[in-house]
Structure formats: structure tokens, C-alpha cells
Amino acid sequence: MTDIRAICGSVPLIPVLTIEDVDRAVPLAQALVIAGLSVLEITLRTETALNAIQAVRAACPDAVVGAGTLRTAEDLTRCVDAGAQFGVSPGAPERLMDAVDGSGLPFLPGCASATEAMRLADRGYSFLKFFPAQAAGGTAMLTSLAEPLSGIEFCPTGGITIDNARDYLALPNVVTVGGSWVAPKALTKSEDWKGIENLARQAVSHLTQ
């Protein structure tokens, strides 16, 4: 898939993963994919992130592996070289977006206000990351944006939990949500892959009822 909305819209939840040990990347990804969460965002918050993207791409053909927390044009280049199938940013700085426009990489730029969303729509981006979702107004903010910004859809991320995810998904301008609760650090460090698989299964069941 080359369309960012199609990629993200194929799952109700995109796990946002911060991987500190590359050896844990593949079993973590496999647990999530088995549970039905095949679109994964590996954030550039650790030194192992790029190696983790490469490892998961090689070992998990059923996964769609993206890179998150892109901040610069250089980040974009490194992620493309690592094999990322899509990119995600918490914002949309001009230099990064100029690089994205010429890259061909499916991309989810971030926004936190109506003005930012409108600027990105002017550039041709109608599917956006709303971040930080809870801190930026949550479901009330997105509800307020639905009519004046008709045609723009969102993937809220930041403060999304099993308790509020369905409230976001019920909104007409929300396609999917991003969250990290299905891969908690404690379970990852203890390599409890079955526990993570169970959390992911519960999330899929809860969000698709």
C-alpha cells in the first residue's frame, strides 16, 4: 500500500513502539501481528530504532513497518534507507515536509490546531496525526474540527488508552488511533510476548465491537 490513509485505516490501533533492545524487536512485532495489529510505528527515540526497523522488515513480512518521531529531513533519509514503509511526525516543519514531498514515502504529519491542519491540507495532506491528542483537547477538540475542517481526517496519538480509544474512534473524522499501551515496557523487558499478544488481542476485540 502506498496511501497513508489506507495503511493506517487497515487497523483500529497503531502500536507506537520505543525499542531499546534490537533483539526484542522481532518477537515484539510478531506478537502484535499475530494478535491482528499489523501496522507498527517504531519511533526514532532510541539508538536501536533504525536497526529495529530493518530487523522487523526482514523477519515479519505480514507487518507494515513505519518510522515515528521524524523531525528532520535527515531522519527521513535514514528511515527510507532502513526500509520504513511509512513515516510519522509529531509536527510538520517546512524542511521536513519539503523532503517528504519529494520522497514518495507515505507520510502522516502531525498537527495540534486548526491552523496547522489547514496548512497541511493546502499541501495536499488530508489525513493527519493529531498530537498530543489528550493534551490538545481530546475528543472535544476533534468534534469541534469535524464540520469546519470537513474532508480532513485524523489519527489521534498521545494519551490514548484502552479506556478512551473507542470514544475517539466513534468520531466521524477519526480513522484510527495510535497508542503504546499494548506494548508496555515492563512486559517488553521481561520478554512476555504472550502477555503482549493477549493485550493486543483484547484491544482489537474491544475496538472493533
Side-chain angles (χ1 to χ4, degrees), residues 5 28 39 41 51 61 65 71 119 157 161 171 187 205:
R5 190 193 184 284
L28 171 60
V39 179
E41 177 188 337
N51 289 334
V65 186
R71 297 172 55 188
R119 286 175 178 163
T157 306
T161 68
L171 300 178
L187 293 185
S205 176

Side-chain angles (χ1 to χ4, degrees), residues 62-100:
D62 294 330
V64 182
V65 186
T69 322
L70 274 71
R71 297 172 55 188
T72 67
E74 291 76 19
D75 286 342
L76 178 70
T77 299
R78 293 187 299 140
C79 290
V80 170
D81 290 345
Q85 293 165 284
F86 66 95
V88 184
S89 176
E94 290 297 316
R95 187 164 171 264
L96 171 61
M97 296 310 299
D98 288 343
V100 169

Side-chain angles (χ1 to χ4, degrees), residues 71-144:
R71 297 172 55 188
T72 67
E74 291 76 19
D75 286 342
L76 178 70
T77 299
R78 293 187 299 140
C79 290
V80 170
D81 290 345
Q85 293 165 284
F86 66 95
V88 184
S89 176
E94 290 297 316
R95 187 164 171 264
L96 171 61
M97 296 310 299
D98 288 343
V100 169
D101 289 345
S103 72
L105 184 72
F107 199 74
L108 186 63
C111 71
S113 70
T115 297
E116 292 171 351
M118 292 165 67
R119 286 175 178 163
L120 285 164
D122 284 346
R123 294 189 71 129
Y125 294 86
S126 59
F127 179 52
L128 312 175
K129 174 176 177 172
F130 181 60
F131 176 84
Q134 282 291 95
T139 56
M141 178 66 163
L142 288 171
T143 299
S144 298

Side-chain angles (χ1 to χ4, degrees), residues 13 15-17 28 32 37 179-184 187 195-197 199-200 203:
L13 165 69
V16 180
L17 308 175
L28 171 60
L32 294 168
L37 297 178
S180 59
W181 82 84
V182 291
L187 293 185
I196 288 174
E197 180 186 332
L199 279 178

